[in-house]
Amino acid sequence: MIYERIENLKPEEFKRLTGVYTETFSLMVKIVSAEKAFHKKSGRPSKLSVEEQILMALEYWREYRTYYTLDVHNLRFIKLLKS
């Protein structure tokens, strides 16, 4: 998910997609950006912006319950989907 595609959504649509309000998301970005500035930089720089990293985490947490309920990690379920 690319942040530029969703940053102009209505607040209700943004909340439905991400699970958080736009104000909460902005606060999350500020906190993570401040924390990243505090840490020593080592390794390769990330290709994703802070906004995109947070969106990835939110999407994972939002969908995890569905994946767990469907038992996606069960091989029999995956084989059923493929057939």
Side-chain angles (χ1 to χ4, degrees):
M1 179 179 329
I2 298 176
Y3 180 64
E4 288 79 26
R5 291 184 189 169
I6 68 165
E7 68 181 331
N8 296 323
L9 290 177
K10 295 178 184 175
E12 305 87 34
E13 294 172 341
F14 189 89
K15 167 99 168 71
R16 185 173 182 200
L17 182 65
T18 63
V20 298
Y21 293 103
T22 52
E23 298 84 17
T24 306
F25 184 79
S26 298
L27 183 61
M28 293 169 81
V29 169
K30 287 179 186 177
I31 292 170
V32 172
S33 296
E35 188 67 27
K36 286 185 94 171
F38 178 72
H39 284 283
K40 179 181 136 186
K41 298 183 188 212
S42 62
R44 185 174 16 164
S46 176
K47 292 182 179 180
L48 298 176
S49 67
V50 172
E51 292 87 356
E52 290 171 343
Q53 291 175 20
I54 293 172
L55 282 174
M56 278 183 50
L58 289 173
E59 183 177 351
Y60 174 78
W61 289 330
R62 191 153 174 82
E63 299 296 330
Y64 180 77
R65 177 67 184 157
T66 305
Y67 295 149
Y68 182 78
T69 303
L70 292 175
D71 196 15
V72 170
H73 300 291
N74 188 337
L75 289 176
R76 286 183 286 156
F77 181 76
I78 294 171
K79 287 178 183 176
L80 284 174
L81 290 177
K82 290 182 179 179
S83 61

